[in-house]
Amino acid sequence: MSTRKRVAILISGRGSNMQALIEATRHPGYPAKIVIVIANRPDAAGLATARNAGIEAIAIDHKQFATRMAFEARLHQSLRGADVDLICNAGFMRLLTGGFVERWRDRQLNIHPSLLPAFPGLDTHRRAIDSGVQITGCSVHFVRLEMDAGPLIAQAAVPVLPGDTPESLGARVLKAEHQLYPHALQLVASGKARVVNESVVHDPISGRCPQLIWPPLGTL
Ligand code: GRF
């Protein structure tokens, strides 16, 4: 019997982080496998990408449900049906209620394109540029009721360069996201990262810093 954690990915659109996770889980020895991809929008491009990769992918259109809770009940049913251990939100643009968040507490991850707690919410790259920060990045964290908040699992730092636009900075951060999310999922699925007193403890640390700087210093 496989001991790999069974993972669902929730998407709303393009699904490039989903694709990075799918590719990572193909490596022998990776401690997780993707068993289902669920989009809350039937037109999410990532659904076709997942199906082409041989992964079950379904749409649960939130607009077809009268309440958030009704949508989440259906979502939960599909997750249970696929015997899911962990959820990875990857560009999933739907706020979740406390009931759902608590059901999946410490088993639901999210990626956000900033160094949280800086710049939660939308339009992160424009806000980073406008603020004058010289380093931004991305974060993977456990989901809590508050949007883009929760125990941080791993972060990657990315420089803001002179002349950056939200698009150029976003593209640089996205490359880091594709490295970071598989790394963070590996830490959680293998049991090397877990929540203690609302912080993530990495075990064993063994001199290796779980945080990344990407692209590596010296390559720019
Ligand atoms: C990513 O930048 C992610 O951090 C944010 O939404 C974007 C989704 O992109 N939450 P993709 O669908 O994974 O390509």
Side-chain angles (χ1 to χ4, degrees), residues 11-19 89-93 110-114 124-125 138-139 148 170 173-174 177-178 181:
I11 62 168
S12 296
R14 160 181 72 176
S16 70
N17 277 289
M18 172 205 76
Q19 196 165 9
N89 295 1
F92 183 65
M93 306 298 284
N110 181 48
I111 187 158
H112 182 74
S114 76
T124 50
H125 304 306
C138 48
S139 308
D148 300 326
V173 171
L174 192 64
E177 294 184 46
H178 297 164
Y181 213 167

Side-chain angles (χ1 to χ4, degrees), residues 25-161:
T25 56
R26 291 220 164 98
H27 286 96
Y30 194 89
K33 63 178 169 188
I34 312 304
V35 294
I36 192 165
V37 169
I38 303 176
N40 68 312
R41 297 177 51 125
D43 61 351
L47 285 170
T49 311
R51 285 177 193 137
N52 288 338
I55 292 169
E56 182 188 358
I58 61 169
I60 302 176
D61 185 354
H62 68 267
K63 292 192 185 133
Q64 303 295 319
F65 296 84
T67 63
R68 276 184 197 276
M69 281 166 70
F71 164 71
E72 290 171 3
R74 175 73 181 77
L75 181 58
H76 186 72
Q77 186 185 33
S78 294
L79 295 166
R80 291 296 298 271
D83 198 16
V84 163
D85 299 309
L86 295 169
I87 304 172
C88 288
N89 295 1
F92 183 65
M93 306 298 284
R94 191 87 193 134
L95 286 178
L96 296 163
T97 69
F100 187 90
V101 168
E102 282 309 310
R103 269 176 164 174
W104 292 94
R105 189 181 180 87
D106 299 342
R107 295 187 296 148
Q108 186 178 17
L109 289 62
N110 181 48
I111 187 158
H112 182 74
S114 76
L115 288 177
L116 291 171
F119 310 122
L122 297 174
D123 211 13
T124 50
H125 304 306
R126 177 173 299 287
R127 288 156 59 212
I129 291 167
D130 290 349
S131 75
V133 294
Q134 295 178 13
I135 303 277
T136 184
C138 48
S139 308
V140 178
H141 62 94
F142 285 108
V143 172
R144 293 292 183 265
L145 186 53
E146 194 187 338
M147 186 180 61
D148 300 326
L152 291 162
I153 300 160
Q155 294 185 295
V158 175
V160 182
L161 298 179

